[in-house]
Amino acid sequence: MNSKKNTVKYSELFLHYQSLFTKKQKSYLTDYFLNDFSFKEVAKKYHVTTMAVVDSVNRSKKTLNFYESKLHLHEKFQKRIKIYDKMTNKNIKNKLEEIDKI
């Protein structure tokens, strides 16, 4: 998997499972995955070593994979999106998308 696809994958997984991480992990992962910071930029922002950020992000990736392997939230979300895309009734589609945001 190329780097860009990998980043998108983990960004999406993080959006599903972020509430399961500590405050510090969420901070690192939000900046790295969602705000597109480099490891060095995250390290500088939080006054830690680059290696500490690299280790934390790598451990978090493994954790995200574990959560997804057990809970399948992202997989189910992707399936719902495909179903919604095929729907022709916009009113029902909008209501279902609204429900998903709850």
Side-chain angles (χ1 to χ4, degrees), residues 47-58:
H47 310 287
V48 296
T49 65
T50 302
M51 200 64 221
V53 176
V54 170
D55 289 344
S56 181
V57 169
N58 286 335

Side-chain angles (χ1 to χ4, degrees), residues 9-20:
K9 171 192 168 185
Y10 285 111
S11 297
E12 290 175 352
L13 288 175
F14 178 61
L15 289 172
H16 290 289
Y17 299 110
Q18 63 184 316
S19 64
L20 301 174

Side-chain angles (χ1 to χ4, degrees), residues 44-67:
K44 185 176 180 179
K45 179 176 178 179
Y46 297 103
H47 310 287
V48 296
T49 65
T50 302
M51 200 64 221
V53 176
V54 170
D55 289 344
S56 181
V57 169
N58 286 335
R59 279 192 310 275
S60 297
K61 286 179 180 179
K62 289 178 184 176
T63 302
L64 287 166
N65 286 326
F66 174 76
Y67 290 156

